[in-house]
Amino acid sequence: MGAALAGAVGLGLLAVPAGAGAAPELPPVTAEELISSVMTADPGPFNGTVKLDNQLGLPALPQLPQAANGTSTATVWSDGDRKGRVSLPTGQTERTLVADGTTVWSWNSADRTVTKSPESEGPHRRPAADPTAAATEVVKHLRATSTVDVDGTAEVAGRSAYELVLAPAPTERTLLREVRVAVDAEKRVPLQLTVLATGSSDPALRLGFTDLTFGAQDPSLFTFTPPPGATVQERPAHAEDAKPGAAKPTVVGDGWDTVVIAKAPTGERAPELAALGKPVSGPWGNGREFTTAVGTAIVTDDGRIAVGAVPEQVLTEALTK
Amino acid sequence: MTPAPQPPPRTASTAPLGRLLAAEVRWVLLRPRTLVMLGLFALIPVVIAIGVVVADGSGGRGLIGATAGNGLVLPVAAMTLALTLLLPLAVAMAAADAIAGETAHGTLRGLLLAPVGRLRLVGMKASGVFVVAVLATGLIAVVGVLAGLVVVGGADGQLVTLSGTTIGLGDALGRVALVAAWTVGQLAAVGAVALAISALTEHPLIVLASVLGGLIVFGVLGAIPALDFLQPYLLTSGWTAGADALRDPLPLGGMGESTLRALGYAVVGGGLTVALMLRRDA
């Protein structure tokens, strides 16, 4: 009988999340210093597991099941420079992305296809000339519309981290309450991003490492050979954004209540929106409104789409302008 | 008058464990229903292989779809498929016969009176159930590898992982063995709970009904989003982890976690079985 009790207790212990320990003691740092150190950080090779906890309230997209509410995990490997590998397991299938330095391979086990595209040229990391000045500039720019602070410390993926908090200034009309970035105290890389919306204590989005190890990686991880039986498709670089005549989106406002107005996608690949959303109308015409935890979008009947991390009223004003 | 010669002193007061285990295993394996069941289990991978070949590449989703042209996925797919209900059924059947069945036939009394400690009796019964779990899983794995290589074939005798890498035959067989061992671990948990129920009742059908009913209830509970907090306690919630063996590099987290959970269930079931059997009147 005692053994049965011990087993039950063991089961209970298994279910307890490997909890956040006490906030670690770290030397104080200002927001400018923290951002400047992140800009110059060179973490080197690492591997880890990234967990996405998504409560944004977006519809599930067939191409990207990670967009719908729920949690998903990915495993990442990086050689610290241009090479990397990401694996996105979903149920009994998996997508794998491998960047081997010159080519990006994308593998989908569901239909056994490999997509091969050349890696975009150009500087991968552009070190700022003077990180301290650049960080001061960034913080100054952010402080125009937000409060930027280092708010204590946290433990993320078993590592001590500073919590950098961005909150909108009281004049900003936004659905967001706070954006928190946990920055590793030693390596100065972002470990976790948390987005909090107004009216909810649970994060709307949390993306972060649940486990992270720095150190040399097996170079064979950064190569990919299409397996036998796979269909290989070649995709030229920048095929998507080279469309001529694509109108540049209009930006209304600045800071947290920025609204972007663009032409709604048309043609075969455009998603069928007519059955979704809530019908709305205003001085700008008629359309359909989509609300999520962190943002609102209005698709008008005349083919415009307005998106922002704002309530409906701000979108309406931006569309009327 | 010479006194009668003293009988030689008894050196062993109980039967040797090896003989007990051999007797129990022989007893379990000589039941025609066990043999028929094992024979049917061997057919599972063959049927899947034929189905995959007939469907010819249009496979579909999931592990069965991944089996098309990639034969070494077959044993893992077959074990994952069978673990949902068929393998637990086999284990529950063996556990039902082991104690409740013997009670129903009145043969348990003889065992309880025999010079065998109660603890050893439980160990003997448990190993009979374990042997069924190992044989059923092993049969699916071995027939799966053979059917995968012979009937499905493809991928040049190698395994194309879900991650898109190709691994050799030896490594692939190692992974099949890993999934088989993990599956046996999960079945041991089911078997331990089934034995505890078997010790409670004298009707073998109750054992079968409670194990299968329990698994179905676990499945339903696991599918309700509002009951997410139950997931870490449900034995079945980790049963998809077998597919992880087909990923590269091999992630062991899912299988490790579900093995620990199975261990918890096995300890609970085993402890209850021992407690019930120790208190039982002959």
Side-chain angles (χ1 to χ4, degrees):
Chain A
M1 199 52 96
L5 269 180
V9 170
L11 268 180
L13 285 181
L14 265 186
V16 174
E25 294 272 344
L26 294 172
V29 65
T30 66
E32 283 86 350
E33 285 165 11
L34 192 58
I35 294 176
S36 136
S37 63
V38 168
M39 288 171 143
T40 53
D42 182 14
F46 67 88
N47 71 316
T49 311
V50 178
K51 185 176 171 199
L52 169 69
D53 189 357
N54 180 346
Q55 302 296 332
L56 293 176
L58 295 175
L61 303 173
Q63 292 298 312
L64 192 68
Q66 281 86 357
N69 276 9
T71 59
S72 37
T73 54
T75 319
V76 294
W77 294 264
S78 165
D79 77 336
D81 192 23
R82 298 180 64 114
K83 298 181 187 175
R85 183 188 190 95
V86 180
S87 90
L88 296 163
T90 43
Q92 295 178 333
T93 61
E94 182 167 323
R95 282 165 177 271
T96 305
L97 300 167
V98 178
D100 63 7
T102 51
T103 313
V104 179
W105 302 88
S106 158
W107 154 261
N108 184 355
S109 82
D111 48 9
R112 283 192 227 172
T113 50
V114 177
T115 313
K116 182 183 167 189
S117 50
E119 198 164 314
S120 53
E121 290 299 320
H124 198 60
R125 290 168 67 93
R126 188 170 41 128
D130 179 1
T132 320
T136 315
E137 194 59 35
V138 167
V139 172
K140 201 173 126 195
H141 184 73
L142 287 173
R143 286 229 163 106
T145 52
S146 341
T147 57
V148 184
D149 271 311
V150 179
D151 179 26
T153 60
E155 197 181 292
V156 177
R159 302 181 64 87
S160 307
Y162 290 105
E163 287 258 42
L164 183 69
V165 178
L166 274 86
T171 50
E172 301 288 306
R173 296 177 299 172
T174 173
L175 293 173
L176 298 176
R177 179 154 56 90
E178 203 169 86
V179 175
R180 306 180 78 94
V181 183
V183 177
D184 190 90
E186 182 201 343
K187 297 279 187 177
R188 297 301 167 103
V189 286
L191 293 180
Q192 190 177 62
L193 170 78
T194 312
V195 177
L196 292 138
T198 47
S200 169
S201 56
D202 293 327
L205 180 92
R206 174 171 277 168
L207 173 69
F209 286 99
T210 53
D211 136 67
L212 178 63
T213 316
F214 291 97
Q217 301 297 318
D218 182 357
S220 68
L221 284 169
F222 307 118
T223 58
F224 189 86
T225 315
T231 323
V232 182
Q233 298 167 339
E234 299 232 11
R235 194 164 62 189
H238 307 301
E240 295 286 324
D241 52 358
K243 258 181 268 170
K248 269 193 80 152
T250 325
V251 178
V252 181
D254 68 339
W256 295 76
D257 43 20
T258 304
V259 174
V260 178
I261 301 175
K263 280 259 176 275
T266 49
E268 276 176 26
R269 291 188 57 193
E272 186 57 55
L273 295 173
L276 300 166
K278 186 180 77 173
V280 284
S281 58
W284 43 267
N286 298 315
R288 289 188 167 268
E289 183 198 61
F290 303 87
T291 44
T292 68
V294 294
T296 312
I298 290 181
V299 182
T300 65
D301 290 350
D302 57 3
R304 289 181 298 163
I305 179 164
V307 187
V310 293
E312 183 200 345
Q313 189 200 356
V314 183
L315 283 187
T316 312
E317 282 172 24
L319 278 170
T320 317
K321 262 179 202 170
Chain B
M1 198 167 138
T2 52
Q6 289 286 320
R10 289 175 64 179
T11 46
S13 61
T14 51
L17 192 64
R19 213 174 76 200
L20 281 180
L21 294 185
E24 174 71 16
V25 168
R26 204 177 314 126
W27 174 234
V28 168
L29 289 187
L30 285 183
R31 281 182 202 135
R33 54 178 172 273
T34 313
L35 295 176
V36 170
M37 189 180 68
L38 289 177
L40 288 176
F41 273 33
L43 282 180
I44 297 175
V46 178
V47 170
I48 299 178
I50 293 171
V52 165
V53 171
V54 170
D56 195 27
S58 59
R61 301 186 75 83
L63 285 184
I64 304 285
T67 306
N70 194 7
L72 285 168
V73 173
L74 180 63
V76 176
M79 278 189 275
T80 308
L81 200 73
L83 181 59
T84 49
L85 273 181
L86 284 173
L87 284 171
L89 173 72
V91 171
M93 219 169 97
D97 279 332
I99 303 180
E102 300 240 23
T103 316
H105 287 116
T107 44
L108 188 70
R109 174 163 307 206
L111 288 174
L112 291 173
L113 293 173
V116 176
R118 295 282 172 92
L119 212 56
R120 285 156 64 93
L121 179 62
V122 172
M124 186 179 109
K125 289 296 182 191
S127 48
V129 177
F130 191 71
V131 165
V132 170
V134 171
L135 282 180
T137 313
L139 210 56
I140 295 181
V142 171
V143 176
V145 169
L146 294 178
L149 288 177
V150 176
V151 183
V152 181
D156 312 332
Q158 292 172 312
L159 168 69
V160 176
T161 62
L162 293 179
S163 310
T165 55
T166 314
I167 59 177
L169 182 63
D171 200 357
L173 291 181
R175 285 168 181 237
V176 172
L178 174 73
V179 177
W182 169 81
T183 307
V184 169
Q186 302 298 312
L187 291 176
V190 176
V193 175
L195 269 180
I197 302 169
S198 189
L200 259 180
T201 173
E202 55 186 35
H203 304 292
L205 261 183
I206 292 187
V207 181
L208 273 185
S210 6
V211 169
L212 293 188
L215 288 177
I216 293 169
V217 169
F218 274 22
V220 171
L221 291 179
I224 300 176
L227 298 178
D228 263 356
F229 64 93
L230 280 178
Q231 292 279 10
Y233 301 102
L234 300 178
L235 182 62
T236 50
S237 61
W239 279 6
T240 49
D244 282 354
L246 298 173
R247 304 186 197 279
D248 193 39
L250 181 61
L252 288 170
M255 280 194 264
E257 193 191 330
S258 45
T259 300
L260 281 179
R261 193 179 298 135
L263 192 67
Y265 272 87
V267 171
V268 171
L272 280 177
T273 312
V274 169
L276 286 167
M277 290 302 280
L278 285 181
R279 290 176 184 189
R280 198 167 177 135
D281 294 328

